[in-house]
Amino acid sequence: MSTRHLIDPQILPILELLPVLDLRTMSLADIRGGAGSDRYGQMPAPAIAPETRFAKGRDGAPDVRLLVYDPPSENRSRGAILQIHGGGMILGTADMSQMVYPDIALAQDLVVVAVDYHLAPETPFPGPQEDCYAGLDWLVAHAAELGVDLSRVIVMGESAGGGLAAALAHMVRDRREHQLAGQVLIYPMLDHRTGGADCQYNNPTTGEFVWTRHSNQFGWEALQGRYGVDDSRSGWFSPARAEDLSGLPPTFISVGALDLFLDEDMDYARRLSAAGVPVELHVYPGAFHGYNMIPGTRLAGQSMQDMLAAVARLTKA
């Protein structure tokens, strides 16, 4: 069935302008070339120019590039966001952060550290997750320099970045080396089974546009590599597979009603609540994957308002 008639009329015309990713016929190199970081250099200068820093890779892994947005401030006990970009585990760059996060940093007097994790399939699990953890290591080590209060640090990500943010929250809980004040997950990619033979949902009204079942399986298979999803790290790989969600930080989740990730995100929110984790869930009607990237629409405005309120609340001392 087609779900086109369910799309919010305000964003329907823009659907034709969004890039179509056909991972069945296009090479990954060609897709990455079309989504390269060079196009961000053609955008207006961000409100805060990022400083490039590098986190030491864990266990001998390559260093991890970071973009640090540090707004001028006299406050030496600020909150901070560790931001993780989207791209289906196979695409994207930390440069994507310049579209929104400098404005958030200025508006809420926060430091933002965007992680340029290494992509799959060249770097399969647990490489990207460990890169994100290395970014958190760096933020903790430089908190005094940045004027960051470590009790006010949250992790945040969109799509695959939301999935990696959720995975990082599991790693932080399990390793007990750091702490997080919250996690903000924007249409997070949480369940490696979605779109495959073992999919738990098979909702006929989701996943028709932008990020499809085939694309989702391509991304997860690239990340999985040779990992068997058969040990205690399964929740680090695919957060929906974690048996125990207790002890995770307060959580904000938002997703569109037509997004492939709708069911896994709602189920994750339900399980978080059952585990005693404070959770806020927003489902936006008529919204497909990436709807919030379309400026000037009611959906984008509402979702931004909801997200900013959550960030302010979670980073409050």
Side-chain angles (χ1 to χ4, degrees):
M1 66 177 283
S2 173
T3 58
R4 197 177 188 87
H5 66 287
L6 298 175
I7 298 175
D8 184 294
Q10 199 173 23
I11 66 173
L12 179 59
I14 308 170
L15 182 63
E16 308 301 332
L17 303 178
L18 295 176
V20 177
L21 299 180
D22 188 349
L23 296 174
R24 291 167 293 191
T25 60
M26 300 174 67
S27 74
L28 192 53
D30 288 341
I31 295 173
R32 285 175 176 170
S37 61
D38 58 328
R39 70 188 180 105
Y40 297 103
Q42 302 170 13
M43 296 178 61
I48 306 170
E51 179 183 2
T52 300
R53 304 289 290 268
F54 289 89
K56 183 175 178 58
R58 288 180 64 91
D59 301 323
D63 289 352
V64 183
R65 175 175 170 258
L66 307 172
L67 295 183
V68 181
Y69 300 92
D70 182 7
S73 177
E74 298 297 321
N75 185 359
R76 304 310 296 168
S77 60
R78 293 181 288 178
I81 300 172
L82 186 77
Q83 191 268 336
I84 306 173
H85 70 79
M89 308 294 182
I90 55 175
L91 305 169
T93 165
D95 297 272
M96 297 162 66
S97 62
Q98 75 179 35
M99 294 187 289
V100 173
Y101 285 91
D103 296 318
I104 295 175
L106 274 173
Q108 299 200 15
D109 192 17
L110 300 170
V111 173
V112 176
V113 177
V115 183
D116 205 16
Y117 59 91
H118 295 88
L119 300 173
E122 296 88 347
T123 305
F125 175 80
Q129 287 84 347
E130 293 289 4
D131 284 351
C132 295
Y133 200 97
L136 181 60
D137 282 338
W138 184 92
L139 175 54
V140 169
H142 291 79
E145 167 194 336
L146 296 168
V148 167
D149 179 347
L150 288 177
S151 70
R152 301 175 62 191
V153 174
I154 68 171
V155 63
M156 181 171 177
E158 303 82 20
S159 193
L164 290 170
L168 180 61
H170 283 269
M171 297 170 78
V172 169
R173 179 199 63 181
D174 295 346
R175 287 177 169 170
R176 301 183 180 183
E177 297 174 333
H178 305 309
Q179 62 178 338
L180 292 171
Q183 54 179 341
V184 176
L185 312 178
I186 311 301
Y187 37 80
M189 182 177 175
L190 300 171
D191 194 333
H192 74 109
R193 298 164 295 189
T194 297
D198 297 327
C199 183
Q200 308 292 296
Y201 316 109
N202 295 312
N203 185 336
T205 67
T206 63
E208 181 178 359
F209 303 107
V210 183
W211 188 253
T212 65
R213 286 165 172 77
H214 181 273
S215 296
N216 199 51
Q217 283 298 293
F218 186 99
W220 277 114
E221 289 168 8
L223 178 67
Q224 182 173 353
R226 297 182 179 180
Y227 176 55
V229 200
D230 55 1
D231 61 23
S232 61
R233 301 174 299 163
S234 60
W236 300 5
F237 169 68
S238 178
R241 292 296 299 270
E243 295 183 5
D244 180 12
L245 302 187
S246 63
L248 292 174
T251 302
F252 172 93
I253 300 175
S254 65
V255 65
L258 306 180
D259 195 312
L260 179 64
F261 301 145
L262 171 68
D263 294 279
E264 65 190 66
D265 291 354
M266 291 196 301
D267 187 58
Y268 198 67
R270 177 192 61 78
R271 293 182 58 216
L272 284 167
S273 179
V277 176
V279 61
E280 178 180 345
L281 171 67
H282 292 263
V283 177
Y284 300 105
F288 46 73
H289 193 71
Y291 68 90
N292 61 330
M293 298 174 65
I294 303 168
T297 65
R298 179 190 61 82
L299 284 171
Q302 184 62 57
S303 62
M304 177 64 75
Q305 178 180 320
D306 294 337
M307 180 268 288
L308 289 175
V311 169
R313 183 179 68 255
L314 292 172
T315 58
K316 184 177 180 180

